[in-house]
Amino acid sequence: MSASTSPFPPIADYAFLSDCHTGALIAPDGSVDWLCLPAFDSPSAFGNLIDRGAGSFRLGPFGINVPTQRSYVPGTNVLATTWHTPGGWLLVQDALTMGPRTGPDHVTPHTRPPADDDAEHVLVRLVECLEGTVEVELVCEPAFDYGREPAAWTLADGDEHAAVATGAGQTFRLTTDMALGVEGSSARARHTLSAGEKAYCSLSWDEALPAPTDAGDAAERVGRTVAYWRRWLARARIPDHPLRYHLQRSALTIKGLTYMPTGATVAALTTSLPETPGGERNWDYRYTWMRDTTFTLQALHFLNLDWEADEFMQFVADLEPNPDGGLQIMYGIDGRRDLAESTREDLSGYEGARPVRIGNGAYDQRQNDVYGAVLDSLLLHTRRSERLPRRLWPLVTSQAERALATWREPDQGIWEARGAPQHYVSSKLMGWVALDRAAKIAAIRGDGALEKTWGEAAEEVRADILERGVSDRGVLRQHYDTDALDASTLLAAIFGFLPGSDDRMKNTVDAISTDLTEHGFVLRYVTGETDDGLSGKEGTFLICSFWLVSALSIVGERDAARDLLERLLRIASPLGLYAEEFEVARSRHLGNFPQAFSHLALIEAAARIILADRIEEMSL
């Protein structure tokens, strides 16, 4: 389907809002096309993102669908959209509002200690006429349970300024100072504003259904939300460097993908945005992957966001392990283990990409990299806080023992291939990480016996990889039975398995740069050479391209690293966001959006560039 004929906006054109309980995506025409209530992984109430009949909520000028400008209020996740119409100019501000905590949250209860500010469970949309006169249109047409059930509307107490929508066990209240009317499954309003006049509408899904009382109250809530995000960002350590803006936007995005009640981070806001246009590579990413832990901790600690890092580690510590003591590769944001996958055949999918999946069937796969990700995170956290909380030591021992027991076995690999298990080099590498980091934590704890046991085991893993995982041309393989390339072997540089001066590391980076790229952007692997159980070609993976930036820096190719990072920054969405993939041929983003992994890898890559620049400055 060509971009010019698709009824779906480009993935990169969506704006992302968050209150750290749920998130929304807003299309350029002012329509909320994705919002799950009350939490990130709840069923959608507005799902036009995956089917053009699955619910939307538009606020904007009547008859005009293309805005003049869209931007975030600087330092926030609050959206400002400016419209020019034949009659005048209009400004719309959208926010999932934050406010002072007033008591226990009964909508999405906390397991972590609550902060001073929390989600109000309200979406506020504030509109102001800047000049002339503009006719404003509101059309709210939810379809609950991923589009399965249209809303049943009732005007609240006969008030034409409030209406309640129900369906599939969900309820929310629409409030506005414009006069509402109900037409079938939609609530609608039209009102003309003159210069200086404001109007508002809001959705609230708290049990009490609180809402702004007027436009002034709505503006105050938006202002409090702006202040919240700016106070939060002020806590982050963002170096004064040309990469500062990109670090800020990535930090705000990662925070926006964090589920405040538990400290978990979702991999992305969405489900089933395609990795292959019109294909079947469509997954539900609204969960927490253990492999993200180490990248999350690296990013948070680099940015000096130690509170968020500790929250995330406490979430990991609370997780229920498998019967063998190992952690699953992913969990629900509330810590649940069962993420059984189903498909929704009634939904068209984004640009016809089917099936639309709810849940993720990979949750019970064997992926031996999980232990390394968790233990690297624990070492990072221990060194940063200069202590290992007592409740985390059992996690160290259990994950180290599972790494010791499984590193010789084949698995599905870091990319969750649905083909036959293989001896993936990246999985062996993360087994080495697990045992190496466990030995270092044991040393900090003063347990010499375990330090020796785990350290010797780590060296055994290293020897096995270097004997069986390196091709005749001195390049790290995808797995032991192939010479195919895999971008995940770049982790050998990032995790310090091989120094940057090692020829095998240099050869691997050079081979991936040359043979596993499209116009300089990195593929995970060549789909025709890898049995991943799926059909179709996928786009280049943004995280892999950012990994290549880091690896180039480590092997001393700093000019090449800077050049690639600049190219990656140029393909960011208009609002500075990244999906999972980039389709080079059509220069567009693919996959779930916004993607935490992409932004985490950006922060790591940028940190290495900044560090190199600072060292160079000091040597002048």
Side-chain angles (χ1 to χ4, degrees):
M1 183 181 295
S2 72
S4 61
T5 60
S6 173
F8 292 84
I11 291 169
D13 282 359
Y14 278 100
F16 166 56
L17 306 182
S18 174
D19 62 5
C20 299
H21 288 241
T22 190
L25 292 181
I26 301 182
D29 69 353
S31 172
V32 177
D33 279 359
W34 187 251
L35 177 60
C36 298
L37 301 176
F40 289 114
D41 59 351
S42 301
S44 66
F46 301 100
N48 260 23
L49 182 71
I50 51 176
D51 188 298
R52 300 314 280 171
S56 63
F57 174 24
R58 180 177 190 267
L59 178 69
F62 178 74
I64 302 292
N65 292 311
V66 179
T68 301
Q69 183 182 24
R70 304 167 81 217
S71 62
Y72 284 112
V73 176
T76 78
N77 284 320
V78 174
L79 179 67
T81 305
T82 304
W83 302 83
H84 182 211
T85 76
W89 289 81
L90 195 71
L91 173 65
V92 178
Q93 290 183 293
D94 292 301
L96 284 164
T97 58
M98 309 291 291
R101 179 177 175 272
T102 57
D105 188 333
H106 299 293
V107 179
T108 42
H110 288 249
T111 59
R112 300 271 76 79
D116 295 336
D117 297 285
D118 204 352
E120 294 182 329
H121 306 297
V122 178
L123 169 65
V124 171
R125 315 195 71 181
L126 179 67
V127 57
E128 178 182 3
C129 183
L130 303 175
E131 186 177 316
T133 60
V134 180
E135 189 175 22
V136 178
E137 175 188 53
L138 180 159
V139 182
C140 185
E141 190 169 13
F144 296 103
D145 191 19
Y146 306 104
R148 182 172 285 161
E149 189 169 332
W153 287 96
T154 56
L155 291 174
D157 303 321
D159 183 358
E160 63 181 9
H161 295 290
V164 175
T166 58
Q170 291 184 304
T171 299
F172 66 72
R173 182 186 186 100
L174 172 64
T175 305
T176 178
D177 51 5
M178 298 182 282
L180 282 170
V182 174
E183 296 179 354
S185 59
S186 67
R188 304 172 66 94
R190 282 171 67 179
H191 180 60
T192 299
L193 293 177
S194 298
E197 292 181 338
K198 295 181 180 180
Y200 84 97
C201 62
S202 71
L203 295 182
S204 53
W205 48 94
D206 194 328
E207 292 174 343
L209 302 179
T213 55
D214 53 33
D217 186 13
E220 184 177 336
R221 292 180 188 231
V222 172
R224 284 202 304 264
T225 306
V226 167
Y228 166 82
W229 287 112
R230 287 177 171 170
R231 284 196 306 272
W232 179 83
L233 190 61
R235 289 177 37 223
R237 177 180 58 196
I238 310 288
D240 184 22
H241 188 275
L243 296 173
R244 182 179 177 87
Y245 166 78
H246 306 285
L247 286 171
Q248 288 180 334
R249 181 47 51 197
S250 289
L252 288 162
T253 303
I254 297 303
K255 177 64 173 178
L257 292 170
T258 299
Y259 186 59
M260 189 180 288
T262 65
T265 300
V266 293
L269 184 66
T270 57
T271 180
S272 300
L273 291 182
E275 297 173 11
T276 300
E280 63 176 336
R281 296 172 183 269
N282 318 311
W283 316 110
D284 192 345
Y285 274 14
R286 297 171 298 161
Y287 308 114
T288 296
W289 267 253
M290 288 300 96
R291 81 166 55 94
D292 292 6
T293 56
T294 186
F295 299 100
T296 301
L297 265 290
Q298 285 175 358
L300 292 174
H301 283 317
F302 170 73
L303 297 172
N304 209 38
L305 297 170
D306 296 337
W307 176 271
E308 283 74 16
D310 185 65
E311 293 275 280
F312 189 74
M313 287 312 305
Q314 298 304 326
F315 167 77
V316 173
D318 286 341
L319 293 173
E320 180 185 354
N322 292 323
D324 63 10
L327 292 178
Q328 290 185 175
I329 68 168
M330 71 179 86
Y331 288 83
I333 54 175
D334 56 358
R336 71 185 185 281
R337 295 177 58 195
D338 186 357
L339 306 177
E341 184 177 295
S342 62
T343 59
R344 292 292 302 267
E345 301 301 329
D346 55 314
L347 297 173
S348 72
Y350 179 88
E351 292 190 347
R354 302 179 69 190
V356 172
R357 304 179 198 265
I358 308 300
N360 197 306
Y363 77 95
D364 58 357
Q365 281 188 355
R366 175 182 291 280
Q367 292 181 25
N368 296 335
D369 67 305
V370 64
Y371 316 119
V374 172
L375 285 164
D376 188 71
S377 302
L378 286 166
L379 179 61
L380 281 168
H381 193 58
T382 300
R383 284 177 168 170
R384 180 69 176 205
S385 61
E386 297 184 348
R387 65 185 182 88
L388 178 69
R390 180 176 178 178
R391 70 191 300 255
L392 292 180
W393 176 246
L395 191 60
V396 175
T397 58
S398 63
Q399 300 318 290
E401 291 306 311
R402 290 310 303 156
L404 199 59
T406 62
W407 75 263
R408 294 180 180 85
E409 300 175 3
D411 70 345
Q412 304 306 133
I414 190 173
W415 306 126
E416 297 162 15
R418 299 196 177 192
Q422 302 286 350
H423 290 279
Y424 287 101
V425 168
S426 62
S427 297
K428 309 293 184 188
L429 165 66
M430 294 308 290
W432 171 81
V433 170
L435 294 163
D436 177 78
R437 276 37 170 189
K440 288 179 168 64
I441 296 171
I444 293 171
R445 186 176 168 84
D447 192 324
L450 282 178
E451 179 190 2
K452 182 174 185 293
T453 298
W454 290 336
E456 290 176 349
E459 288 308 307
E460 186 179 358
V461 180
R462 179 199 291 273
D464 191 73
I465 294 171
L466 295 180
E467 178 185 351
R468 303 174 61 193
V470 181
S471 70
D472 291 342
R473 61 174 179 151
V475 172
L476 289 169
R477 298 179 164 113
Q478 181 186 61
H479 61 77
Y480 285 177
D481 295 321
T482 182
D483 281 346
L485 296 172
D486 193 304
S488 63
T489 58
L490 293 169
L491 296 175
I494 293 170
F495 285 110
F497 177 77
L498 290 173
S501 58
D502 191 290
D503 286 342
R504 291 162 294 191
M505 196 69 258
K506 290 182 176 181
N507 292 342
T508 300
V509 173
D510 181 63
I512 289 172
S513 299
T514 304
D515 301 329
L516 198 61
T517 58
E518 289 185 357
H519 301 281
F521 297 105
V522 184
L523 297 161
R524 292 191 298 179
Y525 46 76
V526 177
T527 52
E529 297 177 351
T530 300
D531 177 19
D532 61 9
L534 299 166
S535 62
K537 180 181 181 297
E538 60 190 21
T540 64
F541 261 64
L542 289 164
I543 184 173
C544 298
S545 296
F546 284 117
W547 283 350
L548 182 55
V549 173
S550 295
L552 286 166
S553 298
I554 291 167
V555 301
E557 298 289 340
R558 293 193 178 92
D559 289 342
R562 289 188 179 93
D563 289 345
L564 178 54
L565 183 58
E566 288 177 6
R567 293 189 65 202
L568 285 163
L569 298 178
R570 284 197 294 270
I571 66 164
S573 83
L575 291 168
L577 305 175
Y578 290 87
E580 183 175 25
E581 296 186 12
F582 184 68
E583 185 187 16
V584 177
R586 295 172 63 180
S587 193
R588 65 173 183 168
H589 287 236
L590 293 173
N592 286 306
F593 181 82
Q595 179 80 205
F597 226 163
S598 299
H599 285 275
L600 291 168
L602 183 157
I603 293 170
E604 204 266 348
R608 292 188 183 275
I609 297 294
I610 292 169
L611 178 61
D613 288 349
R614 292 292 184 259
I615 292 173
E616 187 174 331
E617 288 171 6
M618 292 176 65
S619 65
L620 294 177

